[in-house]
Amino acid sequence: MLKSLYIENMAIIEKMSIDYNYGFNIFTGETGAGKSIIIGSINFILGNKLSKDIIRYGFERAVVICIFDNVSNKVYDILDRYGLNLNDSEIIIQREINKDGKSHAKICGKPITLSMLKDIGRYLINIHGQHDTYKLFSKDTQLKLLDEFSDTNQLLEDLNVQYKKYSELSYKLKSTMIDEGEIEKKLDILNYQLNEIESSNFIIGEYENLLEQKETMKHSIEIGHRTSMIKLFFDGDDNTIGILEQLEKNILNLEYIARYNSKLSDNKEKLENILFDLKDIFSDVLDFTDIADYEFNDINEIENRLSDLSRIKKKYGPDDIDIEKYILNIKKEIEELNTNDSVVREINEKMENIYDIMLSVCDKIHEKRYKKSKILEKMILNELEYLDMKNIDFKIKFNKKSISKFGYDDIEILIATNKGEELKPITNIASGGEMSRIMLAIKSVLSENEDNPCLIFDEVDTGVSGESAEKIGLKLRSISLKNQVICVTHLAQVAALGTSHFKIKKYVKKDQTFTEVSLLEKEERVLEIARIIGGSDTTNLTLKMAEEMLNSNINL
């Protein structure tokens, strides 16, 4: 249940703290006193959006804190799933909104996300207002209410898993299916591109090597001169002895000396190593001399080859790795296009199998819904009869539509408010007062299996009066025997049935508007109910009527 609510800097509410009781909690007050702000604050704590304009003028943030106890085990299961292992008997949720529009939430001091808050909130409080009554016009709402009663959650989860697979395959099928003419066009283009690259005999690194050769050729005279000098240094000529021959002779000299002085043995080995390295260098220079010895026709061949490769790199590159990837992608796409028919067949087969599974699950969902709908019809008719709608006929009509993640049932609530009338959609028939009682009847039935220990009804008695209003009050009070009920009302008959009565009052102090809430004692309740009955002019008659209403409900 909702144990307490604290609101700070929310519109005309500067600071307000409300301690709720078990049973039937009534809230009354004049229009504009702040009842909607209280309901809005509770909605905010459950994860709903709130405009930053709601923050009280002159303040930077608004804060709402709710304390819950005796909550559903599902709340603790969800908290465990999110890694918030709380053993507290009380659940404290705090949420604030800043001037920049950003909001932050905590549960028992630990930060939580908005999605986590919404996930938990649906098992803490169920708020039903005038707007929710008119949601009953929506077929989606009608189906949701039937599912609540039918307990189809697990089957719907199973269906959603298969429906997601089916949707993904359907998307893949659309992107895969191409007509034969389009396939031929694509294959022609891809084969042309592949042939163009492969016929160029493209080799990774060739372009860069050719550029290097081209640069070598541009400086071939100077390179030839300098390589001749290096060759002379190493090999010598008719007039000079090269460094290699000199080293070989001196190694022999050191070898001879080392016979008589072992200290020079290491130096002999060092010279041998130097000789080996110099021979390697000389060999590379000789190889390069051969490479650098180009003819003019070689230059033309290189230029032509560079031109061919440049065209390939420009179209399919720019880098060699990009071209290589392009080749692989072309081959893969050609293979896929050539096997397109078999892929389409494979996808269709998978979709057919999944569809059969979905159909089987939908049949089970339909069977469960239909069976429970007959029970629900009888229970709601009993409730409506109690709420002074004795001549009403109420049916849940089933039609079949294509499969969605909600099954294939297209349901619609049909009613006839008078005997002998044709059953018609609820959107065409019910008045505001009738809608309030129909929704209350549905909520009364569903509350038997309600996972929320707290139900809030915000002016659900709109459009009714007299005996019907009293019946609504009695029904709300009977629901409060199993669930905590919080009700905002403008009807004396409903207010008089509350086990706790709170009054919301607006006042002005130093040119500022404030709202306060107070728990009324019996004498104060008499005055408030008399005000509701007769308006601002309280008379002895309205006071007597109010007192009689309260006294008659004491022993209920």
Side-chain angles (χ1 to χ4, degrees):
M1 64 164 268
L2 176 59
K3 189 175 181 181
S4 68
L5 168 68
Y6 173 78
I7 303 171
E8 184 178 311
N9 301 328
M10 193 76 75
I12 58 174
I13 298 175
E14 183 182 38
K15 287 183 181 179
M16 176 185 288
S17 184
I18 306 171
D19 293 324
Y20 294 91
N21 297 313
Y22 289 98
F24 191 15
N25 295 265
I26 291 293
F27 278 79
T28 60
E30 295 179 354
T31 301
K35 298 186 293 296
S36 62
I37 301 171
I38 293 173
I39 299 298
S41 298
I42 296 173
N43 265 315
F44 181 60
I45 211 78
L46 299 179
N48 291 311
K49 290 183 178 180
L50 203 61
S51 171
K52 63 181 179 181
D53 297 331
I54 198 72
I55 299 173
R56 187 174 174 83
Y57 178 74
F59 293 87
E60 293 299 314
R61 63 171 192 160
V63 180
V64 181
I65 301 173
C66 281
I67 301 177
F68 299 89
D69 65 2
N70 295 324
V71 300
S72 166
N73 288 331
K74 288 186 177 180
V75 173
Y76 290 102
D77 292 340
I78 294 169
L79 290 172
D80 288 344
R81 195 170 71 237
Y82 286 127
L84 299 169
N85 302 310
L86 301 177
N87 297 316
D88 311 47
S89 58
E90 292 183 341
I91 300 292
I92 303 170
I93 300 178
Q94 176 178 331
R95 193 176 178 201
E96 63 179 60
I97 183 170
N98 300 322
K99 275 289 188 183
D100 59 5
K102 294 180 180 178
S103 66
H104 311 278
K106 292 180 180 179
I107 185 163
C108 296
K110 298 180 179 181
I112 56 172
T113 64
L114 185 60
S115 60
M116 291 164 65
L117 187 59
K118 286 182 177 180
D119 206 5
I120 296 163
R122 60 198 174 103
Y123 294 110
L124 293 172
I125 295 177
N126 187 323
I127 299 180
H128 175 65
Q130 292 181 66
H131 178 66
D132 297 293
T133 297
Y134 288 97
K135 282 183 181 177
L136 191 55
F137 289 151
S138 162
K139 288 184 178 182
D140 290 342
T141 301
Q142 295 171 16
L143 185 63
K144 185 179 178 182
L145 290 171
L146 177 58
D147 280 329
E148 282 182 38
F149 187 73
S150 305
D151 190 24
T152 55
N153 287 344
Q154 187 56 56
L155 285 170
L156 285 170
E157 285 179 18
D158 296 342
L159 176 61
N160 282 339
V161 171
Q162 299 302 324
Y163 188 79
K164 185 177 180 182
K165 292 179 184 177
Y166 190 86
S167 299
E168 288 171 353
L169 285 170
S170 178
Y171 177 80
K172 186 177 180 182
L173 182 64
K174 287 177 183 177
S175 61
T176 303
M177 289 181 67
I178 310 171
D179 62 58
E180 291 183 10
E182 190 66 26
I183 289 175
E184 289 300 321
K185 286 179 184 178
K186 283 196 171 188
L187 282 172
D188 285 345
I189 293 169
L190 293 171
N191 282 318
Y192 172 80
Q193 292 175 342
L194 183 61
N195 181 62
E196 185 177 32
I197 298 172
E198 289 183 339
S199 63
S200 72
N201 296 316
F202 167 79
I203 300 172
I204 291 178
E206 182 186 5
Y207 186 82
E208 287 70 21
N209 290 335
L210 288 173
L211 283 176
E212 193 174 284
Q213 288 182 34
K214 182 181 174 182
E215 286 300 307
T216 302
M217 291 163 59
K218 283 171 65 177
H219 304 90
S220 60
I221 295 174
E222 182 65 24
I223 290 171
H225 173 66
R226 291 179 183 272
T227 52
S228 295
M229 292 175 64
I230 296 171
K231 188 176 179 183
L232 180 63
F233 170 75
F234 279 105
D235 206 23
D237 59 11
D238 295 337
N239 301 318
T240 59
I241 300 175
I243 186 70
L244 296 179
E245 186 179 345
Q246 291 184 47
L247 275 173
E248 286 173 346
K249 287 181 179 181
N250 284 303
I251 288 170
L252 292 172
N253 290 333
L254 274 174
E255 184 180 9
Y256 179 81
I257 298 169
R259 293 176 191 168
Y260 307 102
N261 191 334
S262 59
K263 292 179 181 179
L264 294 177
S265 295
D266 291 341
N267 291 322
K268 179 235 178 192
E269 290 180 5
K270 288 177 183 178
L271 274 181
E272 285 177 337
N273 290 333
I274 291 171
L275 178 62
F276 292 143
D277 290 339
L278 288 174
K279 282 183 177 180
D280 286 340
I281 295 170
F282 186 46
S283 176
D284 290 341
V285 172
L286 288 176
D287 290 342
F288 183 77
T289 302
D290 295 336
I291 293 171
D293 189 16
Y294 295 109
E295 299 291 339
F296 282 112
N297 60 338
D298 293 335
I299 297 172
N300 291 332
E301 286 179 8
I302 288 174
E303 289 284 4
N304 291 335
R305 183 60 177 160
L306 282 170
S307 178
D308 291 341
L309 291 176
S310 180
R311 180 170 51 81
I312 296 297
K313 286 170 73 70
K314 188 175 181 180
K315 288 181 71 173
Y316 307 109
D319 298 325
D320 289 355
I321 294 175
D322 295 326
I323 296 172
E324 194 173 39
K325 286 181 180 177
Y326 200 88
I327 293 170
L328 292 174
N329 290 335
I330 288 175
K331 288 180 177 178
K332 182 180 178 183
E333 195 168 351
I334 288 172
E335 184 182 356
E336 287 176 353
L337 288 170
N338 284 324
T339 59
N340 186 70
D341 288 343
S342 61
V343 172
V344 169
R345 281 196 301 273
E346 185 181 347
I347 294 173
N348 275 320
E349 286 174 6
K350 287 180 180 179
M351 288 180 69
E352 287 172 8
N353 291 334
I354 292 173
Y355 185 86
D356 290 341
I357 296 170
M358 288 197 301
L359 187 59
S360 175
V361 178
C362 285
D363 287 339
K364 292 176 183 176
I365 293 171
H366 170 75
E367 185 180 350
K368 205 167 189 179
R369 282 173 177 165
Y370 187 80
K371 186 177 179 180
K372 286 288 187 177
S373 73
K374 298 305 165 188
I375 300 171
L376 185 61
E377 285 173 356
K378 291 178 182 178
M379 294 177 74
I380 288 174
L381 281 170
N382 289 336
E383 295 292 334
L384 289 172
E385 185 175 354
Y386 175 80
L387 293 169
D388 278 347
M389 296 182 73
K390 296 181 176 62
N391 296 321
I392 195 169
D393 196 4
F394 181 98
K395 295 287 182 186
I396 299 174
K397 179 184 176 183
F398 281 79
N399 291 312
K400 196 169 183 178
K401 61 179 183 180
S402 56
I403 291 176
S404 74
K405 61 182 179 179
F406 302 108
Y408 57 57
D409 290 319
D410 178 26
I411 73 154
E412 188 172 26
I413 293 177
L414 304 177
I415 65 167
T417 52
N418 298 297
K419 283 190 178 296
E421 289 184 351
E422 180 188 358
L423 282 162
K424 293 182 179 179
I426 194 170
T427 53
N428 302 340
I429 300 296
S431 66
E434 288 168 335
M435 285 296 295
S436 296
R437 282 179 283 173
I438 291 169
M439 190 51 127
L440 180 57
I442 293 170
K443 282 290 180 182
S444 178
V445 172
L446 294 180
S447 68
E448 295 293 325
N449 301 315
E450 186 65 68
D451 280 318
N452 286 303
C454 176
L455 303 175
I456 296 179
F457 294 89
D458 182 18
E459 299 185 9
V460 292
D461 46 21
T462 300
V464 295
S465 58
E467 187 178 353
S468 295
E470 184 179 8
K471 288 290 183 69
I472 286 177
L474 288 168
K475 178 51 61 180
L476 289 170
R477 181 150 173 171
S478 71
I479 294 173
S480 74
L481 297 176
K482 292 184 178 180
N483 305 82
Q484 181 191 36
V485 173
I486 298 170
C487 179
V488 177
T489 184
H490 289 292
L491 293 179
Q493 297 95 320
V494 176
L497 285 159
T499 52
S500 299
H501 189 158
F502 296 86
K503 181 179 179 181
I504 305 168
K505 181 180 178 181
K506 180 173 67 175
Y507 65 94
V508 177
K509 181 179 178 182
K510 294 181 181 180
D511 295 327
Q512 284 189 302
T513 304
F514 297 86
T515 291
E516 66 177 12
V517 62
S518 55
L519 178 62
L520 303 181
E521 298 295 336
K522 184 180 178 183
E523 293 76 12
E524 294 170 314
R525 289 190 72 181
V526 171
L527 289 171
E528 176 62 6
I529 292 171
R531 180 195 67 77
I532 298 172
I533 295 170
S536 58
D537 296 327
T538 303
T539 65
N540 288 331
L541 178 60
T542 56
L543 287 169
K544 186 177 180 182
M545 289 174 63
E547 189 168 13
E548 286 179 357
M549 290 173 73
L550 279 172
N551 288 336
S552 65
N553 295 327
I554 288 175
N555 297 319
L556 286 178

